[in-house]
Amino acid sequence: MLGSCGDPNAVQRTNSADLGNSPTAPSVKSGNVAGDLHNSAAPIAPSAQDFVNKMAASDEFEIEMSKLALTNAQSPAVKDFAQKMIDAHTHSTEKLKKVAGSVAPMIIPDSTLAPDQLKSVEQLHAKKGADFDQQYVLIQRDAHQRTLAALKDYSVKGDQPPLNAFANEVIPIVSGHLAMARNLKP
């Protein structure tokens, strides 16, 4: 769940065969998906599978980035934050798997990183010391902001009560991580 902390291009994935069959479907041809969604009659609820995958990938992203921080960071504060992220996101992944397994039909999380997440990991591999610290902190702020938005969205629009409860439970944790990241001085 905390894993969605880093998918800046997360967009509701929809079966392309369904697009255009609804008066509220976004216009793919116009390229104005956000504008079309904004003007639709009813908000589109994120699917439970998409939400779970986003959270699982977010957790995986946080864990990978933070393990890298333990070796490449210079600042003790950044290393301390990274260890906290590894611990919290490992716990979140365990909890997400348990909740996802309890819904019907059961959902199996896919923690495959999104292309932008992979790119961020690659970019950080090349950095060390203060340069690493600065980039890591920026990525952490952005990732946690995006995860927080996804959690809030699913907590309101989601269609699986156990996952809504999970989102509501994790919102304060991610808010705390975001506050920590914002206060972190590399």
Side-chain angles (χ1 to χ4, degrees), residues 48-105:
Q49 183 70 61
D50 286 346
F51 172 73
V52 167
N53 290 351
K54 182 175 181 128
M55 294 299 107
S58 175
D59 280 341
E60 183 64 27
F61 179 70
E62 291 295 332
I63 292 167
E64 284 190 35
M65 297 282 286
S66 296
K67 284 180 178 178
L68 194 56
L70 293 179
T71 59
N72 290 7
Q74 176 179 317
S75 165
V78 169
K79 288 183 178 190
D80 183 53
F81 176 82
Q83 187 59 59
K84 289 177 183 174
M85 293 305 98
I86 292 168
D87 296 344
H89 288 276
T90 299
H91 177 73
S92 173
T93 296
E94 293 166 5
K95 183 173 254 182
L96 178 64
K97 286 178 181 178
K98 183 177 179 181
V99 173
S102 75
V103 299

Side-chain angles (χ1 to χ4, degrees), residues 26 34 38 41 62 67-69 92 96 106 124 165 170 176 182 184:
H38 176 71
E62 291 295 332
K67 284 180 178 178
L68 194 56
S92 173
L96 178 64
M106 183 175 79
L124 272 186
V170 178
R182 285 180 175 159
L184 195 57

Side-chain angles (χ1 to χ4, degrees), residues 9-165:
N9 295 321
V11 175
Q12 174 71 26
R13 290 171 179 85
T14 310
N15 181 339
S16 60
D18 294 337
L19 293 176
N21 293 336
S22 163
T24 61
S27 171
V28 175
K29 291 180 184 176
S30 76
N32 188 11
V33 175
D36 291 339
L37 287 175
H38 176 71
N39 294 326
S40 65
I44 297 175
S47 79
Q49 183 70 61
D50 286 346
F51 172 73
V52 167
N53 290 351
K54 182 175 181 128
M55 294 299 107
S58 175
D59 280 341
E60 183 64 27
F61 179 70
E62 291 295 332
I63 292 167
E64 284 190 35
M65 297 282 286
S66 296
K67 284 180 178 178
L68 194 56
L70 293 179
T71 59
N72 290 7
Q74 176 179 317
S75 165
V78 169
K79 288 183 178 190
D80 183 53
F81 176 82
Q83 187 59 59
K84 289 177 183 174
M85 293 305 98
I86 292 168
D87 296 344
H89 288 276
T90 299
H91 177 73
S92 173
T93 296
E94 293 166 5
K95 183 173 254 182
L96 178 64
K97 286 178 181 178
K98 183 177 179 181
V99 173
S102 75
V103 299
M106 183 175 79
I107 297 172
I108 299 172
D110 179 358
S111 62
T112 302
L113 297 183
D116 60 303
Q117 292 171 319
L118 290 169
K119 184 177 178 182
S120 292
V121 171
E122 277 181 31
Q123 289 173 343
L124 272 186
H125 268 288
K127 297 188 181 285
K128 302 263 190 240
D131 287 342
F132 178 94
D133 293 353
Q134 185 176 16
Q135 188 66 31
Y136 174 78
V137 169
L138 290 174
I139 291 170
Q140 288 299 307
R141 290 173 183 163
D142 182 65
H144 283 91
Q145 184 63 50
R146 291 176 188 280
T147 296
L148 184 58
L151 288 166
K152 287 180 177 180
D153 185 50
Y154 195 85
S155 73
V156 173
K157 299 177 189 172
D159 63 353
Q160 286 286 342
L163 292 171
N164 295 72

Side-chain angles (χ1 to χ4, degrees), residues 157-176:
K157 299 177 189 172
D159 63 353
Q160 286 286 342
L163 292 171
N164 295 72
F166 171 80
N168 281 316
E169 182 180 332
V170 178
I171 286 171
I173 296 167
V174 175
S175 294

